[in-house]
Each structure stands twice: as C-alpha cells, then as structure tokens.
Amino acid sequence: MEKKNLDWENIGFVYRETDKRYVSHYKDGQWDEGALISDSNIVLNECAGIFQYCQEVFEGLKAYTTEDGSIVTFRPDQNAERMMNSAVGLEMPAFPKERFLDAVDQVVRANEAWVPPYGSGASLYIRPYMFASGSVIGVKPADEYQFRVLCTPVGPYFKGGAKPISICVSDFDRAAPRGTGHIKAGLNYAMSMHAGMEAHRKGFDENMFLDPGSRRYVEETGGANFLFVTKDGEVVTPKSDSILPSITRRSLIYVAEHYLGIKVTERPVELAELGDFTECGVCGTAAVVSPVGKVVDHGKEICFPSGMEKMGPVIQKLYDTLTGIQMGRIEAPEGWIRKIK
Ligand SMILES: Cc1ncc(COP(=O)(O)O)c(C=O)c1O
C-alpha cells in the first residue's frame, strides 16, 4: 500500500477529503446494512431534522501507525458507547456498538494510504456522526437518520514541543444544569463558538467554563477536561454531571493509578482553590494532554508553578505513559488497542 505523498508533520488540523466514507440509513425503525461510498457530499431535504432542530451527535477518535507498523485505534468501544448514550439523549436511534466498531475498521482499511507513518506524530482523525435526515416541521424527533464515518489525516498537535497554554474564565456557560453537557452533540459546540472566539480575541487559547448552576466550580474547556496536580503530587479532576466524560481522562486516571502509582481524586473543584495546585492540564483525543500555564479570572492571574515554558513533571509523566501505550512502546491494558491491520 503506497502512502499518500503528504508532508505529514505539517498537514495541520484541517479537513482533507479521503477516498472512502461509511454510511448507514435508518428508516422504518431499522438500520440498513451500511456501505462504504466514494461521494463526500450529502443531499438532504430542506426540512431534514438536522437543519431545523439540530438533531446530531458525533464522536472523535484516531487511527495511527504503531512502532511495529500495525494500524490501530485507541479504545473505540468507548466512543461507540458514548455515542449510543448521546443518541439516547437526543431521542435518536442508537447505532449498535459492534456495527460502530466494524464501520470504523472499514473506513480505516479503505483509507489506509491516508494513515500517517509511525514517528510523524500525525494520525488519521476519525469522525463518526449521526444526524436526522428525515423531514420534520413540528418540534419532534425525525423518523429517518444517517450514521456516517469520515476520516481525514491530521498533523501532530504539538509541533516543536508542548507549550503551556493560557486560559480565561468564561462569562458564558457551556451547558445548562441538567442539560446536554454530558453528551457529544453538535448543539453544545455551536453555542460554545461565540465564547471561544471571545477568548481568542482577548488573546487566550481556551475558555474555562464554570458550573452553570452556581458558577463556583470548574467544569471544562470547549473541547477538553481539566486535570490538576496537588502539592503532594496527586491528581485531582473535576466531577460534574454537565462535563463531557472524556475517554482520554478516563485513560489517564487509569494510567496514573495503575502504571504510575499516583492517587487520583474526582471531586468538585472550586475556582477559588486553583492557586493551591502546582500543575494544570487539559485532556482530550486531539492533544492527549496540553499543559496549562495560567488561568486568568477577570484580570486576576492564577499562574501554576510549572510555568509557561514546559509541561510540569506529573503531567509530563502521564502524557509520556499514555502516548507510549498508544504507540505500542508500553504494554496496554487489555482491550485498549484495537488492531485494524
Ligand atoms: C467538550 C469536550 N470535553 C472533553 C473532550 C475530550 O474527550 P475525549 O478524551 O473523549 O476526546 C472533548 C473532545 O472530545 C470535548 O469536546
């Protein structure tokens, strides 16, 4: 299989059309058998539920080449389960887990030429998504849906080393109390865009969203969960019902406890206690962990002792261990790595 001739280290995080994508249609109460197709365009009725009432959920995961040349995905079963849960939250039919896993495998195999080589730091980003394709005019769930999987190669998240980012405490809320914050639906991201652009216009990399009920506790950024490190070298991560349950966070917690012997506590984290922590990071599929150098709360700077130059030592250890597991340099827990080729 001849690889595409791309400058893998410099392809950035943009959409590049690849050869094949997967689609399955839901109609008359069931999913059809699904197929790989070449056409990257979707034709829908003007009154499709996705356009009118935003019934859409999605996932994000990566395929990459490991040290021994295999092509693998990382815990795709967790994405399958989270997507089923997201679908239930928007009254959409869940796409079965085994079929999700098979669809992702098919798309990766069919686009093998686009899977970046080991050592490039690049990967094949996979985007499973599902939306209401049936027409609706009254406010109700549609009765037809499409489940699709597309993929696009993306460059290394950190080029030239991981530089700590600066984050501002947002005046906006990302999610409503008892709303949809815990599910991965496009609607949550649509409403985080204005807040995100406001943060960028003020010179920050990301927002820190607070709990929408009391605005006293830390929730997450627009696309990643928080991790903090205490003076004793323990990890603390926010607990809240309106946070998206990050698969990376779950994996880092396991790595901390079982590989590194670090105690992890999941609990509500107050904005007022941030100054007590020595390190901060945000975690997600895109970067695994990005170090955070400072959080700014309306002019008040909270600077973490790890500074603005490099990752702190605990976050670095977590990052190195999890990326080592992903790349096949460190033995993975049972079931974490799905070998596709
Ligand atoms: C709002 C939000 N939080 C957290 C995450 C991190 O989740 P994961 O580690 O599963 O990528 C993401 C990215 O998917 C996200 O969009």
Side-chain angles (χ1 to χ4, degrees):
M1 163 65 54
E2 198 176 326
K3 292 284 176 195
K4 297 285 168 187
N5 185 20
L6 293 179
D7 177 11
W8 299 107
E9 268 129 78
N10 293 300
I11 54 176
F13 200 94
V14 293
Y15 169 71
R16 265 188 183 74
E17 188 175 322
T18 52
D19 300 331
K20 298 282 180 190
R21 65 276 306 127
Y22 177 92
V23 60
S24 176
H25 296 86
Y26 181 88
K27 199 176 171 178
D28 300 327
Q30 57 187 17
W31 291 104
D32 71 10
E33 69 278 14
L36 287 172
I37 57 167
S38 298
D39 191 354
S40 60
N41 295 303
I42 303 175
V43 177
L44 291 177
N45 181 262
E46 61 188 353
C47 222
I50 173 61
F51 298 138
Q52 305 309 329
Y53 303 119
C54 213
Q55 251 191 312
E56 187 260 2
V57 296
F58 69 101
E59 274 302 323
L61 69 159
K62 288 174 170 176
Y64 46 88
T65 310
T66 57
E67 195 170 29
D68 70 359
S70 306
I71 296 177
V72 304
T73 46
F74 180 70
R75 308 190 76 182
D77 56 315
Q78 302 291 305
N79 296 95
E81 285 174 18
R82 191 170 62 186
M83 193 163 176
M84 292 174 82
N85 193 42
S86 297
V88 170
L90 292 195
E91 287 295 332
M92 301 166 81
F95 195 72
K97 181 170 160 180
E98 284 310 316
R99 290 205 51 197
F100 177 107
L101 294 172
D102 175 57
V104 169
D105 289 357
Q106 284 192 45
V107 168
V108 175
R109 277 195 202 104
N111 293 291
E112 191 188 335
W114 297 93
V115 183
Y118 175 76
S120 63
S123 54
L124 187 73
Y125 184 75
I126 303 162
R127 169 56 58 86
Y129 59 113
M130 191 208 286
F131 55 87
S133 50
S135 54
V136 284
I137 195 71
V139 180
K140 65 176 176 59
D143 50 16
E144 292 179 15
Y145 295 85
Q146 289 187 25
F147 168 86
R148 285 179 171 255
V149 183
L150 67 80
C151 68
T152 188
V154 294
Y157 197 86
F158 299 124
K159 261 190 7 199
K163 278 273 175 210
I165 58 172
S166 60
I167 289 190
C168 69
V169 175
S170 181
D171 287 326
F172 299 96
D173 295 327
R174 173 188 166 272
R178 297 170 292 281
T180 55
H182 62 295
I183 68 175
K184 203 161 168 67
L187 56 90
N188 288 333
Y189 297 81
M191 58 167 289
S192 73
M193 287 194 191
H194 179 58
M197 292 309 292
E198 287 281 279
H200 293 161
R201 284 190 277 269
K202 289 186 210 150
F204 296 102
D205 298 291
E206 290 289 345
N207 276 304
M208 171 180 277
F209 290 108
L210 301 180
D211 82 284
S214 70
R215 295 191 54 82
R216 194 171 139 196
Y217 299 99
V218 174
E219 294 247 295
E220 59 177 325
T221 71
N225 286 179
F226 277 103
L227 299 168
F228 300 98
V229 179
T230 68
K231 291 192 176 74
D232 303 328
E234 295 180 5
V235 170
V236 173
T237 180
K239 187 178 174 66
S240 156
D241 291 340
S242 42
I243 286 177
L244 187 82
S246 157
I247 295 161
T248 313
R249 167 162 95 161
R250 213 172 305 157
S251 307
L252 288 167
I253 290 174
Y254 187 91
V255 162
E257 289 175 338
H258 295 87
Y259 283 65
L260 301 172
I262 296 172
K263 181 163 178 248
V264 182
T265 310
E266 206 178 331
R267 62 162 172 82
V269 173
E270 288 199 42
L271 177 61
E273 65 175 302
L274 289 197
D276 297 343
F277 295 120
T278 57
E279 296 177 46
C280 172
V282 293
C283 65
T285 296
V288 180
V289 193
S290 298
V292 177
K294 69 176 171 190
V295 174
V296 180
D297 177 15
H298 300 90
K300 185 179 151 228
E301 292 200 346
I302 302 151
C303 297
F304 297 102
S306 52
M308 292 302 292
E309 288 307 315
K310 55 179 178 30
M311 279 194 190
V314 175
I315 300 267
Q316 182 79 55
K317 253 194 277 179
L318 288 169
Y319 176 82
D320 290 345
T321 312
L322 187 55
T323 51
I325 289 171
Q326 290 177 330
M327 287 300 156
R329 297 186 295 263
I330 298 174
E331 193 172 342
E334 179 77 28
W336 278 23
I337 305 292
R338 182 173 174 99
K339 186 166 168 172
I340 295 177
K341 205 160 160 127

